[in-house]
Amino acid sequence: MIGNKVKVIIDRPLGTCHPRHEGIFYTVNYGYVEGFIVPDGEEQDAYVLGVDKPLKEFEGVILAIIHRINDIEDKWIVVPEGKVFTQEELIKQVEFQEKFFNYEIVTQQIN
């Protein structure tokens, strides 16, 4: 999946709060990839990094996958084409929500 182009529908724009957990404030845009169903029965969740304004939708490239070790689903990190982040930068940007899980960030496909 890494390197594929996808369209993310943003349902939690930058600057909003989580609908069920008031203490989680979205410091990045967050949404889902329509039509891609994952093990929890919902559509694939995705963080959109590299854009500093609230969005409604975004087309970009999957840069990395957050593999949650103690959860049923993974999260995708989608960025503008050509944008690059270090592992540390990725962690810093998603930590507001991922701090509640054990996870690893996969940044390249393993064949």
Side-chain angles (χ1 to χ4, degrees):
M1 295 306 304
I2 294 174
N4 288 353
K5 292 182 181 180
V6 294
K7 179 180 177 181
V8 181
I9 307 301
I10 306 298
D11 58 355
R12 298 177 194 169
L14 170 75
T16 61
C17 290
H18 191 285
R20 293 186 307 266
H21 305 285
E22 299 176 3
I24 298 177
F25 177 77
Y26 284 85
T27 56
V28 300
N29 290 286
Y30 182 84
Y32 59 92
V33 177
E34 208 167 36
F36 196 94
I37 307 301
V38 295
D40 70 354
E42 300 289 329
E43 291 171 303
Q44 176 64 55
D45 292 326
Y47 292 99
V48 173
L49 305 184
V51 180
D52 62 355
K53 64 181 182 177
L55 301 171
K56 291 185 179 185
E57 59 183 46
F58 177 78
E59 290 188 36
V61 177
I62 302 170
L63 177 68
I65 298 172
I66 296 173
H67 172 64
R68 287 183 172 175
I69 297 163
N70 60 334
D71 194 16
I72 192 171
E73 63 180 314
D74 292 338
K75 307 291 182 181
W76 291 352
I77 296 176
V78 180
V79 301
E81 196 165 357
K83 187 77 173 167
V84 179
F85 290 90
T86 66
Q87 187 90 353
E88 292 77 25
E89 290 170 327
L90 295 176
I91 292 168
K92 183 177 178 182
Q93 291 196 48
V94 300
E95 188 66 10
F96 73 94
Q97 182 166 252
E98 294 305 318
K99 66 184 175 187
F100 301 107
F101 300 92
N102 293 324
Y103 68 94
E104 62 185 357
I105 298 179
V106 179
T107 54
Q108 56 185 314
Q109 291 291 87
I110 300 170
N111 295 323

